[in-house]
Amino acid sequence: MLWPGTLIGAGAGYFIASIPGAMLGALLGQTLDRRLQLHSWAHLRERLGGRATLRNDELLFVLLGRLAKSGGRVVEKHIEQARQEMRHLDMSAAAQQRAIAAFNRGKSGRDSLRGYLGRLKTQPHAAEGVLRACWRMMVADGRVDPKERELIVLWGRWLGWTPQQVQALGADYEPQKKPLATRGGTYQQSLTLLGVTASSDPEQIKRAYRRLLSRHHPDKVAGTGASPAQVREATEKTRELHHAYALIREQRGFR
């Protein structure tokens, strides 16, 4: 791959001192590319515009932020899903702060992501992990907006996936919805689902919710060699846990 600094250095060097100058310029430009992490012309434009290039641990959350915003506005369920991804990745406090900043950066939609995603083509496991996290964000609010679907198909193509493969992956996260309960009886059912009672304090409820999410997370189930049907069941269980926790928080008035 010829990176922008390399090309600019080679061109300037050739103009100044012909072939020897081009070789020296290319070497200096390559050093600049590596130091500034310039992988494409889009990255160069970002740096010239005062925007830092994305670290590997920031890219995912830029994608999630853009997905959350693409449907029109970011809602609490999107934010909670981003927090869940941080917990799933066991991020340190500093990494979480970078992830939050990246999520907010993603909402602006100003980053050119093709070059970043293109680098993951040679890392199939990482590429799949990114797409799965994107699907989880897409269904966090209970629906998939057409703009969100267009984005994930586009990103999948940049990762080397066909639209059919991306849609097939989504089958793990778009199961047939089962009616959770009518509004009148939901609170008690939600308490039962989380294994808590009406007298449990908020911290107990949060711990129960996180413990159950960790146990039923689709990625964790998939890692045990489970069948696609079992992964879909875990995805539906996770969705029910999200709904139950949100309803309990609303009823009890805590964040």
Side-chain angles (χ1 to χ4, degrees):
M1 176 188 296
L2 290 178
W3 294 350
T6 305
L7 289 174
I8 292 172
Y14 184 81
F15 180 77
I16 295 171
S18 190
I19 293 177
M23 294 175 64
L24 178 60
L27 181 62
L28 294 174
Q30 187 178 62
T31 301
L32 183 67
D33 282 328
R34 289 175 177 171
R35 179 166 296 180
L36 297 181
Q37 298 183 25
L38 300 177
H39 305 290
S40 69
W41 292 104
H43 292 171
L44 177 60
R45 288 194 295 271
E46 288 175 5
R47 294 307 296 265
L48 292 176
R51 294 174 66 78
T53 54
L54 295 171
R55 297 162 51 113
N56 289 338
D57 60 350
E58 295 170 331
L59 174 60
L60 172 62
F61 289 90
V62 167
L63 295 170
L64 298 182
R66 184 171 296 188
L67 276 174
K69 183 65 174 179
S70 66
R73 66 189 184 93
V74 178
V75 299
E76 179 63 29
K77 290 179 180 177
H78 292 135
I79 296 172
E80 176 56 35
Q81 183 59 40
R83 293 192 188 109
Q84 172 59 21
E85 296 298 337
M86 294 179 206
R87 289 192 288 268
H88 175 62
L89 294 170
D90 195 23
M91 301 181 86
S92 66
Q96 288 184 39
Q97 290 302 311
R98 289 196 300 271
I100 291 169
F103 185 84
N104 290 328
R105 176 172 169 172
K107 291 189 294 184
S108 72
R110 292 170 53 195
D111 287 287
S112 176
L113 301 171
R114 184 169 188 168
Y116 293 110
L117 293 173
R119 283 187 291 154
L120 293 181
K121 272 188 177 183
T122 58
Q123 304 174 51
H125 182 72
E128 181 175 344
V130 164
L131 290 173
R132 285 189 177 277
C134 287
W135 270 110
R136 290 192 291 270
M137 178 58 72
M138 286 167 63
V139 303
D141 61 354
R143 64 187 182 89
V144 176
D145 185 273
K147 292 182 180 178
E148 295 173 330
R149 196 180 295 275
E150 289 175 8
L151 276 178
I152 197 171
V153 168
L154 175 64
W155 295 342
R157 187 164 71 243
W158 292 345
L159 287 166
W161 288 52
T162 66
Q164 293 76 19
Q165 289 173 320
V166 174
Q167 296 287 7
L169 188 67
D172 290 343
Y173 301 95
E174 287 191 290
Q176 292 295 318
K177 293 187 175 77
K178 297 182 285 188
L180 191 59
T182 60
R183 186 79 178 174
T186 296
Y187 179 58
Q188 186 56 50
Q189 291 181 353
S190 297
L191 291 171
T192 301
L193 183 63
L194 266 60
V196 296
T197 68
S199 61
S200 298
D201 63 51
E203 286 305 314
Q204 289 176 313
I205 295 170
K206 290 177 183 178
R207 286 195 296 270
Y209 168 64
R210 291 169 182 170
R211 184 175 62 252
L212 288 168
L213 276 183
S214 176
R215 182 185 305 167
H216 296 287
H217 197 285
D219 284 354
K220 185 172 184 178
V221 173
T224 64
S227 68
Q230 290 173 314
V231 174
R232 285 193 293 272
E233 182 179 350
T235 302
E236 183 62 22
K237 182 70 171 181
T238 299
R239 187 197 301 275
E240 291 181 357
L241 290 169
H242 285 320
H243 288 324
Y245 182 60
L247 287 167
I248 293 172
R249 284 196 311 164
E250 180 182 346
Q251 182 78 13
R252 296 284 297 277
F254 67 87
R255 293 187 63 82

